[in-house]
């Protein structure tokens, strides 16, 4: 059975930057184990599968090793594929996933994710996390993810964590963040426990970062940079318990998988 796929770089306007994702638009769901094997074969941070349900879409995301409940960049990539490659009409796509309802709109040449905010609780773990990260840690918050506040953008860029030890910390992964020199904040994201040593650009972590920095900076419009080796630009707007995350995407490859 042939299956068409597309590889799209998200949160960038040029190839080989941002965060790559593989997108499958399916007519019906495949077996979950098969989708996991397909994701492992592609070996990208995320492979997204979507199926039309009513007027919207159901979407699921798989890393090479497991399914995840929320993924921003692969949702952006999926919206780009549906709009630009499959000719979906209108300016908005509605999705349903494990984490609830999501939407992506086309606005002023960018795609805008509408995601739920996520908030973490303070944790007295700064010394432990500092040992794992090899950097001074000013604050730690924990929930679905672990967030570590570092003193500067340079500290975020220089961070070289012990990935084996990091995988033992609470949460799916670890977000390191600091005030930016040219952006409101910068971040990086490490998640070896789910098969991603470092994610190049992570939309979902900005569901945590946007409300965190909005409170610290007392502003609802935020410019963000995820300063991985590939890097990516995100524009975040906090709107109550929702966060809008805007970025661009570019197609880099298309092909057919035979199973």
């Amino acid at each position: 059975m042939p299956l068409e796929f597309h590889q799209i770089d998200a949160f960038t306007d040029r190839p080989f930057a941002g965060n790559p994702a593989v997108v499958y638009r399916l007519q019906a769901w495949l077996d979950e184990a098969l989708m996991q094997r397909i994701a492992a074969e592609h070996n990208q941070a995320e492979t997204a599968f979507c199926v039309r349900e009513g007027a919207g879409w159901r979407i699921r995301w798989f890393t090479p090793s497991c399914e995840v409940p929320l993924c921003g960049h692969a949702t952006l990539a999926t919206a780009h594929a549906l709009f630009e490659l499959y000719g979906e009409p209108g300016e908005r796509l509605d999705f349903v996933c494990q984490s609830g309802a999501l939407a992506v709109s086309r606005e002023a040449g960018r795609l805008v994710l509408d995601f739920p905010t996520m908030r973490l609780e303070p944790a007295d773990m700064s010394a432990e996390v500092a040992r794992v990260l090899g950097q001074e840690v000013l604050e730690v918050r924990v929930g679905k993810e672990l967030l570590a506040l570092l003193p500067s953008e340079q500290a975020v860029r220089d961070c070289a964590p012990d990935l084996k030890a990091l995988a033992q910390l609470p949460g799916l992964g670890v977000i390191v963040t600091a005030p930016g020199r040219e952006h409101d904040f910068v971040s990086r994201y490490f998640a070896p426990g789910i098969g991603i040593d470092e994610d190049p650009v992570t939309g979902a972590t900005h569901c945590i970062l946007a409300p965190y920095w909005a409170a610290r900076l007392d502003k609802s419009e935020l410019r963000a940079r995820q300063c991985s080796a590939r890097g990516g630009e995100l524009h975040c707007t906090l709107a109550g318990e929702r966060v809008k995350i805007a970025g661009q995407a570019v197609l880099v490859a298309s092909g057919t998988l035979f199973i």
Side-chain angles (χ1 to χ4, degrees):
M1 178 175 64
L3 294 174
E4 184 178 66
F5 68 86
H6 306 284
Q7 185 167 320
I8 293 166
D9 288 344
F11 294 115
T12 181
D13 61 357
R14 64 188 189 279
F16 316 127
N19 201 352
V22 175
V23 177
Y24 284 86
R25 187 193 67 163
L26 303 175
Q27 297 303 311
W29 288 110
L30 303 172
D31 178 77
E32 183 175 309
L34 176 58
M35 290 191 287
Q36 184 63 72
R37 290 197 296 271
I38 291 170
E41 182 73 14
H42 285 295
N43 200 33
Q44 297 295 333
E46 304 286 349
T47 297
F49 300 88
C50 67
V51 173
R52 187 185 294 277
E53 292 190 359
W57 300 82
R58 182 168 292 275
I59 188 168
R60 298 175 70 177
W61 311 274
F62 291 79
T63 77
S65 62
C66 66
E67 185 173 7
V68 295
L70 186 66
C71 179
H73 87 275
T75 304
L76 197 81
T78 300
H80 180 85
L82 293 175
F83 278 135
E84 304 300 331
L85 304 178
Y86 294 107
E88 282 296 307
E91 300 300 318
R92 174 184 166 118
L93 296 167
D94 289 289
F95 296 95
V96 175
C97 70
Q98 287 185 24
S99 298
L102 313 173
V104 184
S105 302
R106 290 192 283 197
E107 299 178 16
R110 294 186 300 198
L111 292 169
V112 182
L113 304 169
D114 184 342
F115 274 20
T117 60
M118 289 190 284
R119 301 176 193 273
L120 307 180
E121 295 298 321
D124 185 15
M125 299 178 59
S126 294
E128 177 186 353
V129 175
R131 285 193 295 272
V132 172
L133 298 179
Q135 296 287 338
E136 180 185 1
V137 173
L138 304 180
E139 180 184 5
V140 172
R141 296 199 176 191
V142 174
K144 289 185 177 179
E145 306 281 0
L146 185 148
L147 181 146
L149 177 65
L150 305 190
S152 67
E153 177 173 329
Q154 194 59 49
V156 170
R157 292 182 178 274
D158 291 343
C159 191
D162 177 339
L163 293 175
K164 184 176 180 179
L166 185 145
Q168 305 306 311
L169 293 173
L172 292 174
V174 173
I175 307 162
V176 295
T177 189
R181 293 189 289 259
E182 298 179 1
H183 299 78
D184 291 304
F185 64 90
V186 298
S187 69
R188 290 171 68 191
Y189 180 59
F190 305 95
I194 58 171
I196 306 169
D197 286 350
E198 180 173 3
D199 199 32
V201 192
T202 318
T205 57
H206 289 74
C207 297
I208 295 166
L209 288 161
Y212 177 80
W213 283 104
R216 289 185 70 91
L217 301 176
D218 193 25
K219 59 191 300 189
S220 58
E221 299 276 344
L222 299 154
R223 291 182 61 246
R225 174 80 181 174
Q226 192 155 335
C227 47
S228 64
R230 290 173 65 101
E233 299 283 331
L234 306 95
H235 301 260
C236 303
T237 303
L238 191 66
E241 293 305 308
R242 307 291 294 184
V243 58
K244 295 187 176 182
I245 306 165
Q248 295 175 286
V250 59
L251 174 70
V252 294
S254 294
T256 304
L257 180 76
F258 297 95
I259 56 174

